[in-house]
């Protein structure tokens, strides 16, 4: 029986969460989309990856509620709703509406919102989210192609997305420990505040939050606030077993990097990898006219064992120019379709190690590969584990990287880690 059911709003978010939970030695199943079959053999933590971050609100809510039903059938009675550590959303949603729908389905009167991920430079102080030393709205997230973040204050960001009131449990409370935080949450609940942003700037803050909130029916946040939960559950004897190393499998066969993320971090990573790999740049305008043929032909000419990358990654000006001509959704769609087509062609040619940069991009690629369940391995960088799956009867290794994660040499580092394991 699963001790906790988790729902993530995109694929890389789900792998990120699964990787952090697996660090503790707990067993973690990552399901891509809602499984059709009822829950059979389950892991300690069941994680369902949706592709709902930028879906229409109604669709995001109904998919999440379907995922909840499946997770309930796995025996879980505690739930985690995982979104991006940069709170990627718009005034319409989807973070707030999905949380409210989950709360009402579970009969939960209050939940917390904690997207902090200190290891990756995401901190919340006095309700304001920081990326490194910059407030969110001054970080490169202000130029995100789908969810540009133009405010750093989580209360102001969440308020238009929910019907209930939004409150804050600030760092001064968290610093005083789990009992003080519980007291603050109860006081806010008594005042009729169902939605509480919780400050966290360090892993020790997250440990306090996990301890104070472990018995809540629903916790919401980034992946990092879930990281201490396995040990809290062990202490409560809800979870058996001790520490064990995450799985790692040597997968041979050629490699391919696919990048659809335009984040500043990914732009630097693509620039670095292009110094050692051959590359093909996808242009959304060409793709809209002529489809992915050019990329597929290029890929077919590359030696299987040579390092190579197909990327749409571009500077904000170029992204805006493509969006002005095609519309934001269409520009994203043609890129995602091309990356998916490249992944399928690569697999058919025997490539078995694929690194994808970008949440939406990863979703498109895994769907095209027909991958619906992954075992979670060791992390390449905080929040990015290698995962292992079957596609068309062959075992493949997939690294699904959220745009903002990883160091500059992430791509080469990820692939070499697999070679030496
Ligand atoms: P991240 O994890 O950085 O948010 P995503 O893959 O989730 O990356 O989102 C990036 C979106 O931008 C995708 O929908 C992708 O198709 C789109 N995109 C990528 N390159 C371009 C480009 N050159 N012009 C316009 N849109 C692009």
């Amino acid at each position: 029986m699963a001790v906790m059911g988790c729902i993530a709003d995109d694929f890389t978010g789900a792998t990120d969460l699964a990787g952090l939970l697996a660090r503790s030695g707990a067993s973690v199943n990552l399901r891509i989309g809602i499984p059709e079959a009822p829950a059979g053999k389950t892991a300690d933590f069941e994680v369902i990856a949706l592709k709902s971050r930028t879906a229409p609100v109604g669709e995001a809510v109904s998919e999440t509620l379907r995922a909840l039903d499946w997770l309930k059938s796995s025996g879980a009675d505690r739930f985690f709703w995982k979104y991006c550590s940069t709170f990627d959303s718009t005034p319409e949603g989807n973070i707030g509406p999905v949380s409210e729908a989950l709360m009402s389905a579970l009969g939960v009167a209050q939940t917390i919102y904690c997207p902090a991920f200190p290891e990756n430079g995401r901190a919340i102080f006095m309700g304001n989210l920081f990326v490194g030393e910059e407030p969110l709205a001054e970080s490169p997230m202000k130029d995100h192609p789908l969810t540009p973040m133009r405010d750093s204050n989580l209360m102001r960001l969440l308020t238009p997305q929910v019907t209930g009131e939004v409150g804050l449990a600030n760092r001064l409370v968290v610093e005083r420990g789990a009992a003080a935080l519980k007291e603050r949450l109860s006081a806010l609940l008594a005042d009729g505040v169902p939605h509480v942003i919780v400050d966290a700037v360090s892993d020790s803050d997250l440990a306090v939050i996990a301890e104070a909130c472990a018995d809540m029916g629903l916790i919401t946040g980034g992946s990092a606030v879930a990281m201490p939960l396995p040990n809290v559950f062990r202490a409560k004897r809800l979870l058996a077993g001790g520490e064990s190393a995450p799985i790692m499998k040597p997968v041979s066969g050629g490699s391919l990097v696919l990048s659809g993320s335009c984040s500043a971090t990914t732009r630097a990573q693509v620039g670095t990898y292009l110094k050692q790999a051959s590359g093909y740049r996808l242009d959304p305008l060409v793709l809209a006219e002529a489809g992915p043929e050019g990329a597929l032909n290029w890929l077919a000419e590359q030696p299987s064992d040579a390092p190579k990358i197909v990327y749409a990654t571009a500077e904000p000006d170029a992204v805006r120019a493509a969006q002005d001509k095609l519309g934001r959704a269409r520009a994203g769609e043609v890129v995602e379709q091309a990356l998916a087509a490249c992944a399928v062609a690569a697999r058919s040619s025997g490539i078995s190690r694929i690194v994808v940069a970008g949440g939406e991009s990863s979703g498109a690629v895994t769907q095209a590969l027909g991958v619906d369940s992954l075992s979670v391995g060791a992390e390449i960088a905080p929040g990015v584990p290698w995962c292992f799956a079957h596609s068309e009867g062959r075992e493949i290794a997939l690294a699904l990287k959220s745009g903002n994660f990883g160091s500059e040499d992430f791509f080469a580092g990820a692939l070499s880690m697999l070679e030496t394991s």
Side-chain angles (χ1 to χ4, degrees):
M1 249 185 21
V3 65
M4 184 171 235
C6 310
I7 303 168
D9 68 352
D10 84 344
F11 292 88
T12 51
T15 53
D16 165 12
L17 174 65
L20 293 188
L21 290 168
R23 257 188 208 182
S24 67
S27 63
V28 184
N29 271 352
L30 172 55
R31 321 268 183 171
I32 307 280
I34 304 157
E36 273 163 28
K41 191 173 176 299
T42 52
D44 297 331
F45 291 84
E46 286 287 335
V47 181
I48 293 184
L50 297 178
K51 196 174 184 299
S52 60
R53 183 169 297 170
T54 54
V57 179
E59 204 178 288
V61 165
S62 63
E63 281 295 282
T64 309
L65 292 179
R66 274 205 320 121
L68 177 68
D69 279 344
W70 188 90
L71 289 168
K72 279 182 177 165
S73 78
S74 76
D77 60 0
R78 289 170 170 75
F79 299 89
F80 193 92
W81 159 229
K82 194 275 172 200
Y83 38 79
C84 190
S85 64
T86 43
F87 212 69
D88 298 13
S89 54
T90 69
E92 287 75 45
N94 291 335
I95 294 174
V98 166
S99 289
E100 282 196 325
L102 287 170
M103 288 169 80
S104 121
L106 290 166
V108 163
Q110 186 182 58
T111 191
I112 61 155
Y113 297 77
C114 184
F117 195 158
E119 240 179 292
N120 273 339
R122 314 286 188 270
I124 312 166
F125 186 65
M126 298 301 160
N128 292 285
L129 183 57
F130 290 82
V131 175
E133 294 181 350
E134 288 174 325
L136 175 67
E138 292 168 36
S139 78
M141 282 307 294
K142 69 182 187 303
D143 297 315
H144 187 275
L146 304 175
T147 48
M149 301 307 289
R150 300 284 160 85
D151 196 343
S152 308
N153 185 282
L154 291 171
M155 276 96 77
R156 276 198 304 266
L157 285 167
L158 184 60
T159 296
Q161 299 185 34
V162 289
T163 54
E165 214 179 305
V166 178
L168 173 68
N170 73 28
R171 176 89 209 302
L172 304 179
V173 173
V174 175
E175 215 236 330
R176 285 174 28 229
L181 176 54
K182 269 185 163 171
E183 210 175 288
R184 170 74 179 145
L185 292 170
S186 301
L188 285 166
L189 187 59
D191 284 346
V193 179
H195 307 287
V196 186
I197 309 289
V198 185
D199 276 357
V201 302
S202 64
D203 281 353
S204 57
D205 291 343
L206 296 178
V208 168
I209 296 167
E211 194 186 331
C213 301
D215 291 326
M216 279 183 147
L218 176 70
I219 297 176
T220 92
S223 53
V225 71
M227 188 169 53
L229 285 173
N231 281 337
V232 175
F233 291 157
R234 279 192 185 115
K236 287 176 172 289
R237 304 203 178 281
L238 295 166
L239 194 63
E243 300 276 332
S244 64
I247 56 155
M248 221 27 210
K249 301 182 188 178
V251 174
S252 54
S255 70
L256 174 65
V257 176
L258 296 167
S259 180
S261 161
C262 295
S263 72
T265 303
T266 306
R267 295 204 304 272
Q269 290 163 338
V270 169
T272 299
Y273 197 55
L274 281 172
K275 290 182 193 142
Q276 62 192 97
S278 28
Y280 184 93
R281 191 177 69 81
L282 297 170
D283 178 342
L285 298 179
V286 174
L287 293 173
E289 285 269 311
E293 280 327 294
L296 294 172
N297 291 338
W298 177 85
L299 200 55
E301 286 163 12
Q302 305 307 307
S304 157
D305 56 354
K308 51 198 158 298
I309 174 168
V310 175
Y311 62 102
T313 306
E315 297 296 317
D317 284 350
V319 172
R320 259 191 299 274
Q323 290 179 335
D324 286 348
K325 290 233 169 65
L326 299 173
R328 180 178 288 184
R330 175 89 182 124
E333 204 176 276
V334 291
V335 167
E336 287 171 32
Q337 282 166 357
L339 294 172
C342 287
V344 170
R347 180 204 55 201
S348 303
S349 73
I351 283 173
S352 51
R353 298 173 292 150
I354 301 179
V355 181
V356 190
E360 297 294 326
S361 309
S362 295
V365 166
T366 45
Q367 243 163 28
L369 290 174
V371 166
D372 56 11
S373 163
L374 296 145
S375 53
V376 181
E379 286 170 295
I380 303 154
V384 198
W386 268 113
C387 295
F388 305 94
H390 285 92
S391 177
E392 290 248 301
R394 288 214 351 260
E395 178 149 66
I396 57 168
L398 280 171
L400 308 171
K401 186 194 84 78
S402 157
N404 301 311
F405 287 178
S407 57
E408 257 194 52
D409 61 352
F410 178 86
F411 297 133
L415 291 166
S416 72
M417 185 174 155
L418 213 51
E419 277 150 20
T420 54
S421 71

